[in-house]
Amino acid sequence: MRRTWYVVGSDPVPAGAILRRDVVLEADGRQQFRRGLPLEQFLEKIGRYSGIRVPIAVPDPGEIEQHAASARIAEAVTGDGTELDPPHQGQVNVRASISGVVRVDSTRLERLVRSGLALVATVLDGRVAQPGETIAIVKAPAYFVPEDRLARALGKLGGRPVVRVVPFRLRRVALLAGERVRPAAVDVAARALHEKLARFGAELVETTRLDRDEAQRIAERLAEWIDQGIELVLTAGSIMLDPDDAFLRALRPIGARLAVRGAPVDPGTMFWVAYRSEVPILGLASCELYGRVSVFDLVVPYVLAGEPVGRSLFARLAHGGLLEDTYQARLPRDWRSGRSMGS
């Protein structure tokens, strides 16, 4: 990119030239022209003026202008569930086109930004999005960008999106409470969970409390529900630290595997995740039963979208795992008013 000055009415118009700074004309009323405006459009707008010296930038061979570069970057980094605004002042806004959970590949995002050829800012991975919400912005960092270097940087993404939105698809949920959870507490927990799940289009369709924590009875109930089409099972009353816990012992007989034991998230460290085939089974800590914001709120968007929940995800969630500070940033804007950790 070459930086120079242009004298209106005297100099030839360089191909692809733009204003590199804002230009203000005071004669016949104040007129302001923003930086980035193509020089040809500027000349059309000012009409009869001549002799004015304006700052311009001219592309070098092989460079593309900012709007085109930003659009190309945006198309490369976005995937399903997104839509793009037209470039404005060099920036493309990325919006959610559906209701779902935002997935951000932070490793590949960091690699792209380190190239120095793209400015991409996103919401947090796991953020719940509603249609029309801005979930990322994309901008080329200069008026003109070398096309070959940009192509190489985008090629390293491997054709896979950095930002996408996954729709919520699991609908039928059941709750199995153990003997440690009092009957009245089960009712309170069921109401709180019903309210939370409804926001994602899911429904708590079955609730059972056991009067004794016996691994065989727990296994039978879990298998029965899953065979009947329950898509997510919540359990309450297990003691994750107990190696003889009946809920955890009930997993093996039904062919379920324990994927996560303990969460680097507060509140909710005593949380576990298992899978029987594709059906997730969550072991809720006591803090998660009565409406308090906890690891359950952090994880349930992933779960209901059918996204895999395992150790690698929880390792990433450790950064920002203090929900008192971070949870609000994961909510749609119209969910945030009046929300608190104790609500």
Side-chain angles (χ1 to χ4, degrees), residues 127-130 133 328-337:
R127 204 273 211 183
V128 178
Q130 294 179 326
E133 286 194 295
Q328 292 282 322
R330 299 179 185 273
L331 298 176
R333 290 182 179 84
D334 62 358
W335 289 16
R336 296 180 191 179
S337 58

Side-chain angles (χ1 to χ4, degrees), residues 190-274:
R191 287 195 295 270
L193 291 169
H194 174 80
E195 181 179 344
K196 288 186 176 184
L197 292 168
R199 282 184 157 180
F200 305 99
E203 182 181 2
L204 187 64
V205 297
E206 295 278 356
T207 301
T208 296
R209 178 186 180 274
L210 302 174
D211 52 11
R212 291 193 309 278
D213 290 352
E214 297 176 353
Q216 181 177 346
R217 294 180 64 191
I218 295 170
E220 290 173 351
R221 179 49 57 92
L222 295 178
E224 177 185 3
W225 275 345
I226 293 171
D227 291 343
Q228 291 174 352
I230 292 296
E231 298 170 291
L232 167 62
V233 178
L234 309 177
T235 70
S238 70
I239 303 176
M240 190 197 74
L241 297 176
D242 182 359
D244 197 41
D245 179 70
F247 284 86
L248 294 177
R249 285 193 294 115
L251 299 176
R252 180 173 292 181
I254 65 171
R257 61 179 178 85
L258 188 63
V260 175
R261 186 167 185 162
V265 177
D266 182 67
T269 53
M270 298 294 101
F271 177 82
W272 54 264
V273 180

Side-chain angles (χ1 to χ4, degrees), residues 28-300:
D28 298 331
R30 181 183 176 88
Q31 299 181 70
Q32 182 168 350
F33 302 89
R34 283 192 59 82
R35 60 191 180 275
L37 180 70
L39 179 60
E40 289 186 349
Q41 293 184 24
F42 170 76
L43 296 176
E44 291 174 1
K45 292 176 181 293
I46 64 172
R48 60 182 178 81
Y49 287 97
S50 63
I52 304 169
R53 188 168 178 263
V54 295
I56 64 170
V58 182
D60 291 329
E63 291 185 327
I64 58 174
E65 58 92 20
Q66 186 181 40
H67 280 76
S70 298
R72 189 171 300 183
I73 298 165
E75 291 170 359
V77 302
T78 53
D80 292 342
T82 66
E83 57 188 15
L84 305 178
D85 287 354
H88 178 66
Q89 295 181 6
Q91 177 173 303
V92 175
N93 290 338
V94 180
R95 300 184 187 274
S97 62
I98 59 173
S99 176
V101 62
V102 179
R103 297 310 317 267
V104 179
D105 187 329
S106 60
T107 300
R108 288 163 59 247
L109 173 62
E110 290 172 9
R111 185 182 302 130
L112 175 62
V113 173
R114 280 200 303 269
S115 74
L117 296 166
L119 305 176
V120 183
T122 74
V123 297
L124 292 172
D125 179 72
R127 204 273 211 183
V128 178
Q130 294 179 326
E133 286 194 295
T134 299
I135 58 172
I137 64 98
V138 177
K139 197 168 189 176
Y143 287 137
F144 300 103
V145 176
E147 187 172 18
D148 57 346
R149 290 181 57 203
L150 180 61
R152 286 196 297 271
L154 297 180
K156 292 179 180 179
L157 297 177
R160 292 179 291 129
V162 170
V163 184
R164 58 192 172 94
V165 182
V166 184
F168 303 119
R169 60 179 184 84
L170 304 189
R171 296 289 183 261
R172 293 171 53 80
V173 185
L175 170 65
L176 181 62
E179 64 183 44
R180 295 177 59 239
V181 185
R182 295 177 292 104
V186 174
D187 293 338
V188 174
R191 287 195 295 270
L193 291 169
H194 174 80
E195 181 179 344
K196 288 186 176 184
L197 292 168
R199 282 184 157 180
F200 305 99
E203 182 181 2
L204 187 64
V205 297
E206 295 278 356
T207 301
T208 296
R209 178 186 180 274
L210 302 174
D211 52 11
R212 291 193 309 278
D213 290 352
E214 297 176 353
Q216 181 177 346
R217 294 180 64 191
I218 295 170
E220 290 173 351
R221 179 49 57 92
L222 295 178
E224 177 185 3
W225 275 345
I226 293 171
D227 291 343
Q228 291 174 352
I230 292 296
E231 298 170 291
L232 167 62
V233 178
L234 309 177
T235 70
S238 70
I239 303 176
M240 190 197 74
L241 297 176
D242 182 359
D244 197 41
D245 179 70
F247 284 86
L248 294 177
R249 285 193 294 115
L251 299 176
R252 180 173 292 181
I254 65 171
R257 61 179 178 85
L258 188 63
V260 175
R261 186 167 185 162
V265 177
D266 182 67
T269 53
M270 298 294 101
F271 177 82
W272 54 264
V273 180
Y275 281 90
R276 187 196 190 207
S277 187
E278 301 298 318
V279 177
I281 305 168
L282 309 185
L284 306 184
S286 58
C287 63
E288 293 149 12
L289 296 178
Y290 312 119
R292 186 184 183 192
V293 171
S294 69
V295 66
F296 175 75
D297 300 89
L298 188 63
V299 171
V300 75

